[in-house]
Amino acid sequence: MRLVVKFGGSSLRHDFHDAVQLVKMLRDENEIAVVVSALKGITDKLELLSKTRDRKILKSILLDYASFAKKHGIDPDVIKSLSRGLSFAFSLNFPDDRIRRDFILSFGELFSASIFAQAIDGVFIEPWNVIQTDGNFGDAEVDIAKTRRLFTRIRDLMEDGKVPVIPGFIGGFKNFRTTLGRGGSDYTAVVAGTCLRARAVLIMSDVEGIYTADPKVVRDAKLIPFVSYDEALIASKFGMEAIQWKAVKLASENEIPLLFGRTKGWWMGTLVSGRSSGMPIITYKAEEPYGIICVINEHPEVSYEVISEGKNWATFRVPREETKKIVGEVHRRIIEKYLPFAKAVSVAIT
Ligand code: ASP
Ligand code: MG
């Protein structure tokens, strides 16, 4: 089977060993391509670095990656030339600031991929040579037709039994690096899945899958076994962090199944495909000047103003500071009638 496996920033930082072992196990019987994010927290620091040019921030990023490599028994020399590249970013000339910003932001995923490639004896891929985008720096869109042609090289590698390690989040436009928007490593993973005609894309993180509400905010949120592309698209547009919406859209257009799981213990919990469990999903965005909550597969009886709605979903305007509290309340009211069902499903899948 041909598979793409993507690891998020928290998995790399906290569950590196499980991630490496998962890839080693899967590659025995499958053709695997790996996509990695920056270590958790690094992209925020790179954003700050590109704004402030503060050498202290630069130093802390380089130190973070060097000690991360060492901790996992990898010679920090593998990131030496990348470190130099980032250090020189401010003495290079760029046509404009957005181009410089994307160049700087690209380093997190590049560091991660070169360390991961070393750990699994894989092949580091320079993403700007394969993933071609438009010139919308900071939130670029991938040109799938061009990218598909360039992916033949990666497919050949995989057929030879090698494991390509692709830094997520980064593309190329003319001679420049672009970035694909925050959370864009998911998009890279689905681009790879599409261009390689993979059987599935695995999105590995620190939670088992997609829940009825953000499990970090709502304690009794329930894991949902099957989520449809349409449900995932709405949820990701309205704040669900499990996946970037551009990734869901592309997966839906190409009918690529997405399997969500937790790296630690290799626990797979949700399949995003044409199928749906029909469970409610409540997401939120706490943006200025008001909060938005989105409810999918249910019509809650609330007095908040409806902002937008579709066949099986609606968004509501709520006081910003109360957003999370309201998510919890609406969730509690809705989830009660689903509890017997959730129990039956969890028995059936374990
Ligand atoms: N590192 C990027 C971000 O933090 C991309 C990603 O992790 O998907 O947004
Ligand atoms: Mg993410």
Side-chain angles (χ1 to χ4, degrees), residues 268-338:
M268 309 308 293
T270 299
L271 174 67
V272 171
S273 67
R275 233 168 124 176
S276 166
S277 296
M279 298 274 286
I281 306 174
I282 304 169
T283 64
Y284 69 94
K285 279 179 156 182
E287 283 173 352
E288 310 275 355
Y290 55 85
I292 298 175
I293 72 165
C294 175
V295 184
I296 304 171
N297 288 338
E298 271 292 333
H299 293 284
E301 280 174 35
V302 291
S303 52
Y304 305 111
E305 180 196 339
V306 174
I307 309 171
S308 56
E309 58 190 325
K311 205 172 78 225
N312 61 337
W313 60 272
T315 62
F316 304 89
R317 184 185 187 124
V318 299
R320 191 169 56 86
E321 321 71 56
E322 290 175 43
T323 309
K324 288 185 188 175
K325 197 185 94 201
I326 293 168
V327 168
E329 283 167 11
V330 172
H331 183 269
R332 194 171 324 115
R333 242 183 296 150
I334 286 178
I335 206 67
E336 270 169 3
K337 69 177 184 194
Y338 288 92

Side-chain angles (χ1 to χ4, degrees), residues 88-331:
F88 287 140
F90 294 104
S91 42
L92 296 174
N93 274 326
F94 291 91
D96 77 55
D97 261 3
R98 292 179 323 150
I99 299 178
R100 184 197 305 277
R101 176 185 171 274
D102 275 10
F103 181 82
I104 290 172
L105 254 58
S106 74
F107 280 89
E109 273 69 11
L110 296 176
F111 284 130
S112 288
S114 66
I115 292 171
F116 204 91
Q118 185 76 15
I120 61 157
D121 197 16
V123 182
F124 174 89
I125 303 291
E126 289 186 342
W128 46 84
N129 289 332
V130 275
I131 296 176
Q132 300 301 300
T133 72
D134 61 13
N136 188 16
F137 291 89
D139 192 15
E141 186 103 15
V142 175
D143 182 330
I144 294 293
K146 274 191 199 162
T147 301
R148 201 191 291 277
R149 285 196 292 278
L150 294 166
F151 253 86
T152 51
R153 224 191 86 217
I154 295 184
R155 210 168 44 215
D156 292 347
L157 275 177
M158 292 165 77
E159 280 168 5
D160 268 358
K162 302 199 173 90
V163 179
V165 180
I166 310 169
F169 184 52
I170 311 161
F173 172 70
K174 298 188 175 156
N175 286 322
F176 303 115
R177 299 179 194 177
T178 54
T179 62
L180 310 180
R182 295 307 301 265
S185 295
D186 299 326
Y187 190 27
T188 304
V190 178
V191 167
T194 302
C195 295
L196 293 166
R197 293 185 211 288
R199 180 72 188 83
V201 173
L202 276 59
I203 305 282
M204 306 303 296
S205 70
D206 58 359
V207 292
E208 286 90 344
I210 295 179
Y211 286 73
T212 49
D214 181 350
K216 287 167 188 161
V217 171
V218 178
R219 262 195 41 223
D220 36 300
K222 301 287 175 266
L223 186 62
I224 311 177
F226 299 103
V227 174
S228 72
Y229 292 119
D230 291 347
E231 290 162 352
L233 189 64
I234 294 298
S236 58
K237 272 195 177 161
F238 293 106
M240 181 179 75
E241 281 188 6
I243 188 165
Q244 194 204 43
W245 76 270
K246 290 195 282 187
V248 184
K249 183 163 167 279
L250 186 62
S252 167
E253 287 161 0
N254 294 283
E255 293 185 38
I256 308 278
L258 305 174
L259 252 175
F260 286 73
R262 193 182 67 192
T263 303
K264 195 177 174 67
W266 308 347
W267 188 282
M268 309 308 293
T270 299
L271 174 67
V272 171
S273 67
R275 233 168 124 176
S276 166
S277 296
M279 298 274 286
I281 306 174
I282 304 169
T283 64
Y284 69 94
K285 279 179 156 182
E287 283 173 352
E288 310 275 355
Y290 55 85
I292 298 175
I293 72 165
C294 175
V295 184
I296 304 171
N297 288 338
E298 271 292 333
H299 293 284
E301 280 174 35
V302 291
S303 52
Y304 305 111
E305 180 196 339
V306 174
I307 309 171
S308 56
E309 58 190 325
K311 205 172 78 225
N312 61 337
W313 60 272
T315 62
F316 304 89
R317 184 185 187 124
V318 299
R320 191 169 56 86
E321 321 71 56
E322 290 175 43
T323 309
K324 288 185 188 175
K325 197 185 94 201
I326 293 168
V327 168
E329 283 167 11
V330 172
H331 183 269

